[in-house]
């Protein structure tokens, strides 16, 4: 909470139209803080109380006889009628009150409009972001996140193409919504992973903690920790399954993948997505499983070397394609 003298000083400068650009920016920053609302109301009240009810002169039409003008002005003074100048001042104060207090966010938006921003990652690249509300995002390779410079609406809305892990700051009054095509994932405060690459026919939402709702058209599913929702984009079907290994996404967001008997075909899909490559393997390997850890931050050659060493298989490059054989 800001000290009262500073807000009072900036308020007086604003009312008298003497703010510099820097002072104006500081003033609106203070207005956006709800902790200063009581102080602002007090300042506005003081402004009203200090308004002097001084009658204006020259308000009586000149075509009236002099004695009638004097009598009229005397009557106005005795009865303390509201002078036009006071009405104007009162209206100005009310406008300031409405502008500063009730519409302070709108005024701030006029001076500092919300900017739409975009974060992108390339093959094998990961990025960590912190959004305006404090939400943390780990963006996977070949992914794109669109988000505002600050959240001003009833909903905190972002859009994702690719993969990202979110740690959303809790705010029950402003749900956090991630749009991936026609699919919307709504949370209040939680940690979860979304895998939603355009080239894939499914979208996977895996929940580590909290509570998440996934919606597609009129369908809506609620998921709890250690569950995963699979969205089939072709059939528009939503399927919820138990996913005991959800905590592994805490490592996957950093590019550290743990495989506990995962089908080799699934491991290869991860490599293709993360590195933006194409891998072909022998039919004899389709039924095999992989146990081990891979650091997908390393060059693809190192990753393939480790994979093939553990599996006792071989790999080679054939043009723009990687081939894995027995």
């Amino acid at each position: 909470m800001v000290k009262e003298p500073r807000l009072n000083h900036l308020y007086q400068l604003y009312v008298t139209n003497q703010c510099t650009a820097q002072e104006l920016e500081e003033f609106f920053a203070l207005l956006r803080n709800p902790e200063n609302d009581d102080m602002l109301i007090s300042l506005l009240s003081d402004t009203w109380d200090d308004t002097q009810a001084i009658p204006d002169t020259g308000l009586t039409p000149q075509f009236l006889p002099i004695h009638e003008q004097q009598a009229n002005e005397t009557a106005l003074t005795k009865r303390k009628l509201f002078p036009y100048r006071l009405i104007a001042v009162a209206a100005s104060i009310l406008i300031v009150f409405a502008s500063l207090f009730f519409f302070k966010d709108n005024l701030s938006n006029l001076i500092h409009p919300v900017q739409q921003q975009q974060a992108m990652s390339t093959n094998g690249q990961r990025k960590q972001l912190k959004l305006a509300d404090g939400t943390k995002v780990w963006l996977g390779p070949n992914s794109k996140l669109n988000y505002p410079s600050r959240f001003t609406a009833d909903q905190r809305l972002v859009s994702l193409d690719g993969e990202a892990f979110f740690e959303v700051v809790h705010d029950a009054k402003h749900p956090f919504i991630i749009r991936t095509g026609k699919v919307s994932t709504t949370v209040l405060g939680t940690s979860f992973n979304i895998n939603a690459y355009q080239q894939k026919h499914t979208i996977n939402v895996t929940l580590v903690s909290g509570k998440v709702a996934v919606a597609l058209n009129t369908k809506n599913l609620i998921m709890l920790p250690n569950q995963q929702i699979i969205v089939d984009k072709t059939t528009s079907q939503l399927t919820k399954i138990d996913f005991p290994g959800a905590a592994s996404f805490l490592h996957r967001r950093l590019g550290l993948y743990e495989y506990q008997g995962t089908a080799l075909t699934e491991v290869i899909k991860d490599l293709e997505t993360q590195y933006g490559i194409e891998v072909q393997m022998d039919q004899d390997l389709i039924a095999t499983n992989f146990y081990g850890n891979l650091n997908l931050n390393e060059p693809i050659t190192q990753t393939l070397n480790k994979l093939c060493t553990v599996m006792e298989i071989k790999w080679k490059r054939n043009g723009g394609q990687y081939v894995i054989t027995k």
Side-chain angles (χ1 to χ4, degrees):
M1 185 172 178
V2 71
K3 292 183 178 180
E4 183 174 352
R6 184 57 180 168
L7 180 55
N8 181 44
H9 174 67
L10 293 173
Y11 172 77
Q12 298 302 331
L13 290 178
Y14 179 85
V15 172
T16 56
N17 197 28
Q18 299 181 58
C19 277
T20 64
Q22 184 176 357
E23 289 169 336
L24 195 62
E25 182 175 353
E26 181 184 358
F27 183 50
F28 279 105
L30 296 178
L31 291 182
R32 287 193 295 270
N33 187 347
E35 293 183 0
N36 297 324
D37 285 352
D38 290 341
M39 194 184 305
L40 178 61
I41 292 175
S42 177
L43 289 172
L44 291 166
S45 177
D46 291 342
T47 303
W48 176 269
D49 293 339
D50 290 341
T51 304
Q52 299 298 319
I54 302 174
D56 262 321
T57 59
L59 297 180
T60 305
Q62 295 300 318
F63 57 80
L64 290 179
I66 294 177
H67 66 279
E68 290 186 18
Q69 292 184 30
Q70 292 173 342
N72 192 27
E73 290 173 2
T74 301
L76 286 173
T77 303
K78 286 181 179 180
R79 285 151 47 190
K80 297 182 179 179
L81 293 180
F82 228 66
Y84 292 135
R85 176 181 295 173
L86 180 56
I87 293 175
V89 173
S92 299
I93 294 175
L94 289 174
I95 291 173
V96 170
F97 185 95
S99 299
L100 295 182
F101 189 65
F102 293 107
F103 303 111
K104 56 188 179 182
D105 287 337
N106 291 335
L107 286 173
S108 179
N109 289 339
L110 290 176
I111 297 175
H112 301 291
V114 176
Q115 302 290 332
Q116 286 298 318
Q117 300 180 342
Q118 185 179 88
M120 298 182 66
S121 59
T122 57
N123 294 338
Q125 182 186 38
R126 287 175 174 78
K127 290 186 177 181
Q128 184 175 347
L129 312 170
K130 188 173 183 180
L131 306 186
D133 65 336
T135 292
K136 295 179 182 178
V137 183
W138 285 262
L139 196 63
N142 296 306
S143 301
K144 179 171 62 178
L145 181 73
N146 292 303
Y147 60 97
S149 56
R150 68 177 185 276
F151 298 102
T152 58
D154 294 336
Q155 300 174 337
R156 295 173 287 168
L157 181 63
V158 302
S159 64
L160 172 69
D161 175 14
E163 184 174 13
F165 185 94
F166 294 84
E167 283 186 2
V168 177
V169 171
H170 180 80
D171 186 349
K173 294 182 179 180
H174 301 89
F176 193 95
I177 300 177
I178 304 100
R179 286 185 179 166
T180 49
K182 296 181 180 180
V183 178
S184 293
T185 302
T186 303
V187 301
L188 297 178
T190 184
S191 57
F192 59 100
N193 190 85
I194 297 182
N195 188 307
Y197 289 96
Q198 280 189 353
Q199 65 270 28
K200 291 188 175 182
H201 74 276
T202 62
I203 295 174
N204 296 345
V205 181
T206 309
L207 183 59
V208 177
S209 64
K211 197 174 188 179
V212 165
V214 178
L216 173 62
N217 300 326
T218 59
K219 302 173 184 176
N220 193 315
L221 286 181
I222 304 295
M223 61 190 304
L224 298 174
N226 294 315
Q227 289 185 330
Q228 183 181 78
I229 289 180
I230 303 170
V231 182
D232 191 314
K233 293 187 287 187
T234 304
T235 62
S236 297
Q237 293 296 314
L238 277 68
T239 305
K240 181 167 62 175
I241 63 173
D242 291 332
F243 199 92
S248 65
F249 281 92
L250 294 172
H251 299 293
R252 287 172 68 112
R253 64 181 175 175
L254 305 176
L256 307 177
Y257 282 60
E258 303 171 6
Y259 298 102
Q260 303 297 325
T262 305
L264 184 59
T265 53
E266 293 301 316
V267 177
I268 295 303
K269 287 180 182 179
D270 286 338
L271 299 186
E272 291 180 324
T273 300
Q274 299 294 307
Y275 290 104
I277 60 174
E278 185 178 345
V279 180
Q280 185 179 22
M281 64 179 185
D282 284 351
Q283 292 293 318
D284 296 341
L285 298 174
I286 292 179
T288 59
N289 298 324
F290 175 66
Y291 293 83
N293 300 331
L294 295 176
N295 183 351
L296 301 192
N297 295 305
E298 295 177 342
I300 181 59
T301 53
Q302 289 183 229
T303 300
L304 287 174
N305 285 339
K306 183 174 183 178
L307 174 68
C308 291
T309 299
V310 173
M311 296 287 294
E312 296 183 349
I313 54 180
K314 301 175 183 178
W315 74 272
K316 64 180 180 179
R317 187 164 185 175
N318 185 8
Q321 198 177 62
Y322 293 85
V323 180
I324 296 178
T325 59
K326 265 194 168 183

